[in-house]
Amino acid sequence: PLIQRGQIFDPSLSLEPRSRSCPSNVLPNTHRDEVWALLVTNGRLYSGSKDKCINVWDANTMKFIQKIPGHEGSVLALAVAKVCSWLWDCWWHDYPICTYTVRLCWQDRLFSGAYDYTVRVWNVHALKWVHTLIGHKDAVRALQVAKNKLFSASYDCTVRVWDVDRLWCLKVLERHTNSVRDLSCGSNYIFSASYDSTVCVWNTETLALEKVLEGHQKAVRALAFTEEHIFSGSDDCKVF
């Protein structure tokens, strides 16, 4: 027998390399780097990656739909919001007479936060770029939608509040003294978890700080909300 790389090699066996079969549950057209964010909504799966792209699949058939490039850094967070818009229809009769009708239309917008310090806005039907929200001075790590507001948490220690219809900043929420890692929403409150070991509670209507939850000894990385409780997970190995 031949010895190859410290192993016994039998020349009677096929020299063809064994194919590494792909598990049947791996989606096609996967990312080229680490996947940081997932979102399932309205029958679609969205994934954000370190390769700076968003991939879109049909969540039922698992069929790949499209890759969305555009960010200049890793995509870390995803959210979808319903946006109200007015559509005008015009029918011409004998000039200059025409008839107008106005329709109220609800559409979805996809928001993505990234290491390029921006939140980008996408049309979920055309999967095209709409707008870029600029203001954060560090990576945008978490996104949450509450009614007509988008909340974005950043490593710049702030949470920014955006109008999802007009796409402008309503307020900058400042209280944390270290990076804001996660957001959770419920019961007219938005909760922000930070590496400063605290969880801040903000009113989603007035945007006022209601309370600062203390107790963790290290960074708070994760939040989960129920109708009665807010849960927080920390680097101190504790869940409150």
PDB file of all heavy atoms in Angstrom, residues 80-83 106 111 144-151 162-165 185 187-188 203-205:
ATOM      1  N   VAL A  80     -39.456  45.213   9.656  1.00  0.00           N
ATOM      2  CA  VAL A  80     -40.431  45.597   8.626  1.00  0.00           C
ATOM      3  C   VAL A  80     -41.534  46.425   9.280  1.00  0.00           C
ATOM      4  O   VAL A  80     -41.990  46.104  10.385  1.00  0.00           O
ATOM      5  CB  VAL A  80     -41.034  44.360   7.928  1.00  0.00           C
ATOM      6  CG1 VAL A  80     -42.280  44.735   7.128  1.00  0.00           C
ATOM      7  CG2 VAL A  80     -40.013  43.722   6.992  1.00  0.00           C
ATOM      8  N   ALA A  81     -41.955  47.479   8.592  1.00  0.00           N
ATOM      9  CA  ALA A  81     -43.030  48.336   9.097  1.00  0.00           C
ATOM     10  C   ALA A  81     -44.043  48.596   7.993  1.00  0.00           C
ATOM     11  O   ALA A  81     -43.680  48.680   6.810  1.00  0.00           O
ATOM     12  CB  ALA A  81     -42.470  49.658   9.602  1.00  0.00           C
ATOM     13  N   LYS A  82     -45.311  48.723   8.382  1.00  0.00           N
ATOM     14  CA  LYS A  82     -46.356  49.094   7.428  1.00  0.00           C
ATOM     15  C   LYS A  82     -46.406  50.605   7.300  1.00  0.00           C
ATOM     16  O   LYS A  82     -46.398  51.327   8.298  1.00  0.00           O
ATOM     17  CB  LYS A  82     -47.717  48.551   7.875  1.00  0.00           C
ATOM     18  CG  LYS A  82     -47.856  47.054   7.658  1.00  0.00           C
ATOM     19  CD  LYS A  82     -49.303  46.616   7.783  1.00  0.00           C
ATOM     20  CE  LYS A  82     -49.443  45.149   7.418  1.00  0.00           C
ATOM     21  NZ  LYS A  82     -49.120  44.903   5.999  1.00  0.00           N
ATOM     22  N   VAL A  83     -46.464  51.073   6.072  1.00  0.00           N
ATOM     23  CA  VAL A  83     -46.431  52.500   5.789  1.00  0.00           C
ATOM     24  C   VAL A  83     -47.712  52.895   5.064  1.00  0.00           C
ATOM     25  O   VAL A  83     -48.145  52.221   4.122  1.00  0.00           O
ATOM     26  CB  VAL A  83     -45.207  52.865   4.923  1.00  0.00           C
ATOM     27  CG1 VAL A  83     -45.180  54.347   4.634  1.00  0.00           C
ATOM     28  CG2 VAL A  83     -43.935  52.424   5.618  1.00  0.00           C
ATOM     29  N   TRP A 106     -51.700  50.700   2.087  1.00  0.00           N
ATOM     30  CA  TRP A 106     -50.716  50.280   3.078  1.00  0.00           C
ATOM     31  C   TRP A 106     -49.647  49.433   2.396  1.00  0.00           C
ATOM     32  O   TRP A 106     -49.954  48.482   1.694  1.00  0.00           O
ATOM     33  CB  TRP A 106     -51.379  49.486   4.192  1.00  0.00           C
ATOM     34  CG  TRP A 106     -52.251  50.320   5.072  1.00  0.00           C
ATOM     35  CD1 TRP A 106     -53.593  50.537   4.930  1.00  0.00           C
ATOM     36  CD2 TRP A 106     -51.840  51.058   6.216  1.00  0.00           C
ATOM     37  NE1 TRP A 106     -54.044  51.363   5.921  1.00  0.00           N
ATOM     38  CE2 TRP A 106     -52.999  51.702   6.728  1.00  0.00           C
ATOM     39  CE3 TRP A 106     -50.626  51.239   6.871  1.00  0.00           C
ATOM     40  CZ2 TRP A 106     -52.943  52.520   7.859  1.00  0.00           C
ATOM     41  CZ3 TRP A 106     -50.575  52.055   7.991  1.00  0.00           C
ATOM     42  CH2 TRP A 106     -51.729  52.676   8.475  1.00  0.00           C
ATOM     43  N   PHE A 111     -36.377  47.613   6.774  1.00  0.00           N
ATOM     44  CA  PHE A 111     -35.295  48.432   7.325  1.00  0.00           C
ATOM     45  C   PHE A 111     -34.134  47.513   7.711  1.00  0.00           C
ATOM     46  O   PHE A 111     -34.343  46.445   8.278  1.00  0.00           O
ATOM     47  CB  PHE A 111     -35.770  49.201   8.559  1.00  0.00           C
ATOM     48  CG  PHE A 111     -36.879  50.174   8.287  1.00  0.00           C
ATOM     49  CD1 PHE A 111     -38.208  49.766   8.339  1.00  0.00           C
ATOM     50  CD2 PHE A 111     -36.609  51.494   7.979  1.00  0.00           C
ATOM     51  CE1 PHE A 111     -39.238  50.655   8.093  1.00  0.00           C
ATOM     52  CE2 PHE A 111     -37.635  52.397   7.723  1.00  0.00           C
ATOM     53  CZ  PHE A 111     -38.955  51.972   7.780  1.00  0.00           C
ATOM     54  N   GLN A 144     -36.389  47.994  16.084  1.00  0.00           N
ATOM     55  CA  GLN A 144     -37.721  47.610  16.524  1.00  0.00           C
ATOM     56  C   GLN A 144     -38.723  48.619  15.978  1.00  0.00           C
ATOM     57  O   GLN A 144     -38.435  49.818  15.914  1.00  0.00           O
ATOM     58  CB  GLN A 144     -37.826  47.581  18.050  1.00  0.00           C
ATOM     59  CG  GLN A 144     -37.394  46.289  18.701  1.00  0.00           C
ATOM     60  CD  GLN A 144     -38.393  45.162  18.517  1.00  0.00           C
ATOM     61  OE1 GLN A 144     -39.566  45.390  18.234  1.00  0.00           O
ATOM     62  NE2 GLN A 144     -37.933  43.933  18.674  1.00  0.00           N
ATOM     63  N   VAL A 145     -39.909  48.140  15.608  1.00  0.00           N
ATOM     64  CA  VAL A 145     -40.978  49.000  15.116  1.00  0.00           C
ATOM     65  C   VAL A 145     -42.096  49.028  16.138  1.00  0.00           C
ATOM     66  O   VAL A 145     -42.529  47.969  16.627  1.00  0.00           O
ATOM     67  CB  VAL A 145     -41.510  48.511  13.758  1.00  0.00           C
ATOM     68  CG1 VAL A 145     -42.718  49.342  13.332  1.00  0.00           C
ATOM     69  CG2 VAL A 145     -40.420  48.576  12.699  1.00  0.00           C
ATOM     70  N   ALA A 146     -42.555  50.223  16.478  1.00  0.00           N
ATOM     71  CA  ALA A 146     -43.702  50.405  17.368  1.00  0.00           C
ATOM     72  C   ALA A 146     -44.634  51.413  16.719  1.00  0.00           C
ATOM     73  O   ALA A 146     -44.314  52.604  16.631  1.00  0.00           O
ATOM     74  CB  ALA A 146     -43.255  50.883  18.739  1.00  0.00           C
ATOM     75  N   LYS A 147     -45.780  50.896  16.212  1.00  0.00           N
ATOM     76  CA  LYS A 147     -46.749  51.728  15.490  1.00  0.00           C
ATOM     77  C   LYS A 147     -46.063  52.412  14.315  1.00  0.00           C
ATOM     78  O   LYS A 147     -45.544  51.760  13.423  1.00  0.00           O
ATOM     79  CB  LYS A 147     -47.415  52.707  16.457  1.00  0.00           C
ATOM     80  CG  LYS A 147     -48.226  52.028  17.548  1.00  0.00           C
ATOM     81  CD  LYS A 147     -48.904  53.014  18.466  1.00  0.00           C
ATOM     82  CE  LYS A 147     -49.715  52.282  19.526  1.00  0.00           C
ATOM     83  NZ  LYS A 147     -50.362  53.189  20.476  1.00  0.00           N
ATOM     84  N   ASN A 148     -46.024  53.735  14.299  1.00  0.00           N
ATOM     85  CA  ASN A 148     -45.434  54.444  13.159  1.00  0.00           C
ATOM     86  C   ASN A 148     -44.012  54.912  13.438  1.00  0.00           C
ATOM     87  O   ASN A 148     -43.512  55.831  12.795  1.00  0.00           O
ATOM     88  CB  ASN A 148     -46.308  55.650  12.775  1.00  0.00           C
ATOM     89  CG  ASN A 148     -46.359  56.702  13.876  1.00  0.00           C
ATOM     90  OD1 ASN A 148     -46.221  56.367  15.058  1.00  0.00           O
ATOM     91  ND2 ASN A 148     -46.554  57.951  13.503  1.00  0.00           N
ATOM     92  N   LYS A 149     -43.352  54.263  14.392  1.00  0.00           N
ATOM     93  CA  LYS A 149     -41.991  54.667  14.745  1.00  0.00           C
ATOM     94  C   LYS A 149     -41.031  53.492  14.589  1.00  0.00           C
ATOM     95  O   LYS A 149     -41.358  52.347  14.917  1.00  0.00           O
ATOM     96  CB  LYS A 149     -41.929  55.181  16.180  1.00  0.00           C
ATOM     97  CG  LYS A 149     -42.760  56.428  16.460  1.00  0.00           C
ATOM     98  CD  LYS A 149     -42.579  56.865  17.904  1.00  0.00           C
ATOM     99  CE  LYS A 149     -43.423  58.088  18.228  1.00  0.00           C
ATOM    100  NZ  LYS A 149     -44.854  57.753  18.342  1.00  0.00           N
ATOM    101  N   LEU A 150     -39.837  53.807  14.111  1.00  0.00           N
ATOM    102  CA  LEU A 150     -38.744  52.835  14.063  1.00  0.00           C
ATOM    103  C   LEU A 150     -37.708  53.255  15.087  1.00  0.00           C
ATOM    104  O   LEU A 150     -37.277  54.408  15.115  1.00  0.00           O
ATOM    105  CB  LEU A 150     -38.106  52.802  12.666  1.00  0.00           C
ATOM    106  CG  LEU A 150     -36.821  51.977  12.552  1.00  0.00           C
ATOM    107  CD1 LEU A 150     -37.141  50.480  12.590  1.00  0.00           C
ATOM    108  CD2 LEU A 150     -36.050  52.328  11.283  1.00  0.00           C
ATOM    109  N   PHE A 151     -37.297  52.311  15.929  1.00  0.00           N
ATOM    110  CA  PHE A 151     -36.258  52.550  16.926  1.00  0.00           C
ATOM    111  C   PHE A 151     -34.986  51.824  16.486  1.00  0.00           C
ATOM    112  O   PHE A 151     -35.033  50.634  16.167  1.00  0.00           O
ATOM    113  CB  PHE A 151     -36.703  52.055  18.300  1.00  0.00           C
ATOM    114  CG  PHE A 151     -37.886  52.801  18.865  1.00  0.00           C
ATOM    115  CD1 PHE A 151     -39.175  52.488  18.468  1.00  0.00           C
ATOM    116  CD2 PHE A 151     -37.699  53.815  19.796  1.00  0.00           C
ATOM    117  CE1 PHE A 151     -40.267  53.179  18.987  1.00  0.00           C
ATOM    118  CE2 PHE A 151     -38.779  54.511  20.320  1.00  0.00           C
ATOM    119  CZ  PHE A 151     -40.072  54.185  19.916  1.00  0.00           C
ATOM    120  N   TRP A 162     -37.306  57.127  14.524  1.00  0.00           N
ATOM    121  CA  TRP A 162     -37.559  57.600  13.166  1.00  0.00           C
ATOM    122  C   TRP A 162     -39.045  57.488  12.835  1.00  0.00           C
ATOM    123  O   TRP A 162     -39.710  56.542  13.255  1.00  0.00           O
ATOM    124  CB  TRP A 162     -36.765  56.781  12.141  1.00  0.00           C
ATOM    125  CG  TRP A 162     -35.324  56.601  12.470  1.00  0.00           C
ATOM    126  CD1 TRP A 162     -34.778  55.639  13.271  1.00  0.00           C
ATOM    127  CD2 TRP A 162     -34.225  57.400  12.016  1.00  0.00           C
ATOM    128  NE1 TRP A 162     -33.418  55.776  13.340  1.00  0.00           N
ATOM    129  CE2 TRP A 162     -33.045  56.844  12.588  1.00  0.00           C
ATOM    130  CE3 TRP A 162     -34.120  58.508  11.175  1.00  0.00           C
ATOM    131  CZ2 TRP A 162     -31.768  57.369  12.347  1.00  0.00           C
ATOM    132  CZ3 TRP A 162     -32.859  59.034  10.937  1.00  0.00           C
ATOM    133  CH2 TRP A 162     -31.706  58.468  11.504  1.00  0.00           C
ATOM    134  N   ASP A 163     -39.557  58.433  12.078  1.00  0.00           N
ATOM    135  CA  ASP A 163     -40.915  58.355  11.537  1.00  0.00           C
ATOM    136  C   ASP A 163     -40.866  57.426  10.321  1.00  0.00           C
ATOM    137  O   ASP A 163     -40.159  57.714   9.348  1.00  0.00           O
ATOM    138  CB  ASP A 163     -41.399  59.748  11.139  1.00  0.00           C
ATOM    139  CG  ASP A 163     -42.851  59.768  10.694  1.00  0.00           C
ATOM    140  OD1 ASP A 163     -43.192  59.029   9.747  1.00  0.00           O
ATOM    141  OD2 ASP A 163     -43.643  60.521  11.278  1.00  0.00           O
ATOM    142  N   VAL A 164     -41.607  56.316  10.349  1.00  0.00           N
ATOM    143  CA  VAL A 164     -41.508  55.339   9.263  1.00  0.00           C
ATOM    144  C   VAL A 164     -42.168  55.831   7.976  1.00  0.00           C
ATOM    145  O   VAL A 164     -41.892  55.308   6.897  1.00  0.00           O
ATOM    146  CB  VAL A 164     -42.118  53.984   9.674  1.00  0.00           C
ATOM    147  CG1 VAL A 164     -41.372  53.380  10.846  1.00  0.00           C
ATOM    148  CG2 VAL A 164     -43.601  54.118   9.978  1.00  0.00           C
ATOM    149  N   ASP A 165     -43.060  56.819   8.074  1.00  0.00           N
ATOM    150  CA  ASP A 165     -43.705  57.364   6.880  1.00  0.00           C
ATOM    151  C   ASP A 165     -42.833  58.420   6.214  1.00  0.00           C
ATOM    152  O   ASP A 165     -42.562  58.352   5.016  1.00  0.00           O
ATOM    153  CB  ASP A 165     -45.065  57.969   7.235  1.00  0.00           C
ATOM    154  CG  ASP A 165     -46.039  56.941   7.768  1.00  0.00           C
ATOM    155  OD1 ASP A 165     -46.210  55.902   7.104  1.00  0.00           O
ATOM    156  OD2 ASP A 165     -46.629  57.156   8.836  1.00  0.00           O
ATOM    157  N   CYS A 185     -40.017  45.538  22.442  1.00  0.00           N
ATOM    158  CA  CYS A 185     -41.148  46.461  22.468  1.00  0.00           C
ATOM    159  C   CYS A 185     -42.397  45.769  22.990  1.00  0.00           C
ATOM    160  O   CYS A 185     -42.652  44.604  22.680  1.00  0.00           O
ATOM    161  CB  CYS A 185     -41.390  46.998  21.064  1.00  0.00           C
ATOM    162  SG  CYS A 185     -42.711  48.208  20.963  1.00  0.00           S
ATOM    163  N   SER A 187     -46.488  46.905  25.244  1.00  0.00           N
ATOM    164  CA  SER A 187     -47.277  47.692  26.209  1.00  0.00           C
ATOM    165  C   SER A 187     -46.891  49.161  26.238  1.00  0.00           C
ATOM    166  O   SER A 187     -46.702  49.761  27.308  1.00  0.00           O
ATOM    167  CB  SER A 187     -47.150  47.097  27.609  1.00  0.00           C
ATOM    168  OG  SER A 187     -47.673  45.799  27.647  1.00  0.00           O
ATOM    169  N   ASN A 188     -46.762  49.756  25.055  1.00  0.00           N
ATOM    170  CA  ASN A 188     -46.431  51.179  24.937  1.00  0.00           C
ATOM    171  C   ASN A 188     -45.041  51.538  25.481  1.00  0.00           C
ATOM    172  O   ASN A 188     -44.780  52.702  25.804  1.00  0.00           O
ATOM    173  CB  ASN A 188     -47.480  52.053  25.627  1.00  0.00           C
ATOM    174  CG  ASN A 188     -48.835  51.928  24.963  1.00  0.00           C
ATOM    175  OD1 ASN A 188     -48.933  51.846  23.740  1.00  0.00           O
ATOM    176  ND2 ASN A 188     -49.890  51.894  25.768  1.00  0.00           N
ATOM    177  N   ASN A 203     -41.092  55.446  26.947  1.00  0.00           N
ATOM    178  CA  ASN A 203     -42.481  55.511  26.515  1.00  0.00           C
ATOM    179  C   ASN A 203     -42.522  55.711  25.004  1.00  0.00           C
ATOM    180  O   ASN A 203     -41.909  56.649  24.487  1.00  0.00           O
ATOM    181  CB  ASN A 203     -43.196  56.666  27.224  1.00  0.00           C
ATOM    182  CG  ASN A 203     -44.676  56.670  26.965  1.00  0.00           C
ATOM    183  OD1 ASN A 203     -45.127  56.778  25.837  1.00  0.00           O
ATOM    184  ND2 ASN A 203     -45.452  56.547  28.035  1.00  0.00           N
ATOM    185  N   THR A 204     -43.219  54.833  24.294  1.00  0.00           N
ATOM    186  CA  THR A 204     -43.211  54.910  22.820  1.00  0.00           C
ATOM    187  C   THR A 204     -44.018  56.092  22.281  1.00  0.00           C
ATOM    188  O   THR A 204     -43.847  56.475  21.126  1.00  0.00           O
ATOM    189  CB  THR A 204     -43.760  53.614  22.210  1.00  0.00           C
ATOM    190  OG1 THR A 204     -45.072  53.370  22.714  1.00  0.00           O
ATOM    191  CG2 THR A 204     -42.862  52.432  22.535  1.00  0.00           C
ATOM    192  N   GLU A 205     -44.897  56.676  23.108  1.00  0.00           N
ATOM    193  CA  GLU A 205     -45.680  57.827  22.662  1.00  0.00           C
ATOM    194  C   GLU A 205     -44.953  59.132  22.943  1.00  0.00           C
ATOM    195  O   GLU A 205     -44.758  59.961  22.060  1.00  0.00           O
ATOM    196  CB  GLU A 205     -47.050  57.811  23.355  1.00  0.00           C
ATOM    197  CG  GLU A 205     -47.923  56.626  22.982  1.00  0.00           C
ATOM    198  CD  GLU A 205     -48.304  56.613  21.515  1.00  0.00           C
ATOM    199  OE1 GLU A 205     -48.386  57.694  20.900  1.00  0.00           O
ATOM    200  OE2 GLU A 205     -48.502  55.510  20.969  1.00  0.00           O
TER     201      GLU A 205
END
